[in-house]
Amino acid sequence: MRFAIGDTDFLLDGEPHRILSGAIHYFRVHPDLWADRIRKAKLMGLNTIETYVAWNAHAPSPASFSFEDGLDLGRFLDLVAEEGMHAIVRPGPYICAEWTNGGLPYWLFADGTVGVRRDEPGFLAAVQGYLEHLAPVLVPRQIDQGGPIVLVQVENEYGAYGSDPVYLRKLEAMHRAIGLTVPFTSVDQPMGTMLEDGSLPSLHKTGSFGSRSTSRLERLRQAQPTGPLMCSEFWDGWFDSWGEHHHTTPAAASASDLDDLLAAGGSVNIYMFHGGTNFGFTNGANDKGVYRPIATSYDYDAPLDEAGRPTEKFHAFRSVIERYAPVPVLPASMQPGGSGRLESYAYSSDSLEARVAPATDVAVRLDRVASLRSLLPALTDWSTHDTPPTFDALGAASGFVLYRTEVDLPSGGVLTVGDEVRDRAIVSVDGTVVGVLEREHHDRAIALPAVAGTLELLVEDQGRVDYGPRIGEPKGLVGGVSVDGVPLARWSASPIALDPVPAAALDVLAAIEPTDGDVLAGPVFAAGSFDLDSADDRYLRLDGFRKGVAWVNGFCLGRYWSRGPQRTLAVPGPVLRAGRNDVVVFELHAAAARTVHLLAEPDLGHTEA
């Protein structure tokens, strides 16, 4: 088959074709749930699935590149093909996506010499290697080779970042050189000169917007007089940041804008069809003068919610789509008021057996407790430095770094971080917490009591900036640390990588005798076990806990924070098992109780503000 760009339409084997696409990021969905989510996209009336490719997820270090398990992009695309659907792939290299560092590997910028998203030899050489790794997955899965891929996007909203046609031309040539033959696209907001600055004549321009479809398409047509109109990011919702309200958009208003888009003859990619979850430490952050880390949930108020259930928006969009294209018959379970389950899909990569819904919530007592300090020998090693090193210099992609030095301050003093705390530091003297420095509040200084002993700063990377000029910046105590203007030297640093928690630390936790009591004083790890009759989606609620990270059966669910708007963490059914299961929580501050709850029914955990 052939896919091409005509004067007015996309052409599939020479015939006009409208793209009805929905975004599903394979790296935000457990791989055993991919088939379920893709099938539901088809049931809404979509004919295409779009995904970014997260370079930094595939390449955690310069010497490694993985397509295993949840990063098996080839398998994801094969499942799209099995549903008879097409695929749009957006390899970036920059993707934004509210994903840490916008998908760019942290190690790429560790020495400060490599350019960011521009015509710079070090950056382009790394991109070349990245694309060469992708070639065996993408090239044979193009539509002209019998696969599902019909479009590939080059870069991502580049017009909002820069205007470097030389860079874009070199990037386009790299994509062609690895064997990609399908049409190439760009995407930008139809505002100002973004459409012109972010593209080339050889790239088909598409728009990104979520409202005022008619006027947005008019601006797109102005920038590109011929070719099919397409909104390749139709924003049907928005993402949440910690401490802000849960974002929603009215289903009727979004459906109306979608109707306007399709009535104008446009093609669409709905962003998101299913958002999923920022598992582990993968969430990004925005910094437009104030640093705002993205929440763990990426529900996005999408047609398919974080739990994989159809929402009001699913049915509203389906009603619009069926005016322009045939839609499949909707199973009774997917009708309004149904369970939202596709009973033919199980949480197993080997079978498609019916699933049984759990009947009750489960309370889990976290009765094995160990302080962070006691677990350090099993978690990490120390290194010594004259000044506090960055996370990047330590080879720490994410998570935490504990900085330690000895001080003699008979009258106390004011501790100051030279430039910036990135992103949050718990300050302790002789094991007693004296305060917190938060980048979000531009905190750089804190008063210390009199001390002759150990000063520690536990620094958390809360998510690397994913949009704008601060992409690629290092993490840690940037600019050094001083007390009353006198620099502190002779530091020890201990990177604490927790995705996954090291096996040695889990062994220590498992061997601890259960204890009574309720209050937890952090930083502390707490573990407990529970039994299930069957494995199905659950939702971890941590009432009384303040801030930290949680795991179930070794799978990192991500960060929790009592400030909201998110109250629960999604636990994918494939992570669980019939019989004994384990929960581990790393609480940074304190918890008023040692009991957490595995909810049986979805409570997406959003607090409206």
Side-chain angles (χ1 to χ4, degrees), residues 257-423:
D257 283 311
L258 177 61
D259 196 10
D260 289 344
L261 197 164
L262 298 182
S267 287
V268 68
N269 175 54
I270 295 168
Y271 190 100
M272 299 289 298
F273 168 72
H274 171 57
T277 307
N278 294 314
F279 294 117
F281 299 92
T282 58
N283 66 280
N286 284 318
D287 193 330
K288 300 176 182 179
V290 177
Y291 175 80
R292 297 291 192 201
I294 308 300
T296 301
S297 170
Y298 200 67
D299 175 70
Y300 215 85
D301 194 35
L304 215 64
D305 68 21
E306 186 182 15
R309 302 176 305 159
T311 66
E312 179 186 359
K313 202 168 284 181
F314 177 97
H315 299 290
F317 282 14
R318 189 175 188 274
S319 295
V320 170
I321 291 169
E322 67 181 351
R323 300 173 198 163
Y324 302 92
V327 298
V329 175
L330 202 60
S333 63
M334 292 285 289
Q335 298 285 351
S339 68
R341 302 176 184 277
L342 290 178
E343 298 299 341
S344 60
Y345 283 89
Y347 295 149
S348 168
S349 58
D350 301 318
S351 65
L352 297 175
E353 300 172 355
R355 291 176 278 157
V356 178
T360 59
D361 297 345
V362 177
V364 185
R365 171 81 175 165
L366 305 180
D367 56 5
R368 301 189 303 279
V369 177
S371 68
L372 170 63
R373 178 170 291 195
S374 70
L375 279 182
L376 282 175
L379 286 171
T380 187
D381 295 315
W382 293 91
S383 57
T384 57
H385 310 265
D386 290 334
T387 59
T390 63
F391 279 52
D392 311 64
L394 292 167
S398 60
F400 301 82
V401 170
L402 182 60
Y403 298 91
R404 177 184 290 173
T405 189
E406 299 300 315
V407 295
D408 186 3
L409 303 170
S411 300
V414 177
L415 178 148
T416 303
V417 177
D419 294 329
E420 194 170 50
V421 176
R422 299 182 188 155
D423 301 308

Side-chain angles (χ1 to χ4, degrees), residues 42 57 102 112 133 145 147 198 201 209 227 252 270 297 315 368 401 431 437 444 457 522 549 557 572 580 582:
K42 185 173 183 178
H133 280 291
Q145 298 191 38
F209 53 86
I270 295 168
S297 170
H315 299 290
R368 301 189 303 279
V401 170
L437 298 174
R444 291 175 46 240
L457 289 90
V549 188
L557 304 179
R580 180 55 56 97
D582 298 300

Side-chain angles (χ1 to χ4, degrees), residues 52-71:
Y52 283 125
V53 180
W55 180 5
N56 53 7
H58 292 276
S61 71
S64 61
F65 204 98
S66 173
F67 287 111
E68 296 180 355
D69 303 321
L71 297 175

Side-chain angles (χ1 to χ4, degrees), residues 479-497:
V481 179
S482 62
V483 174
D484 293 341
V486 179
L488 296 180
R490 296 184 299 277
W491 288 86
S492 298
S494 176
I496 304 171

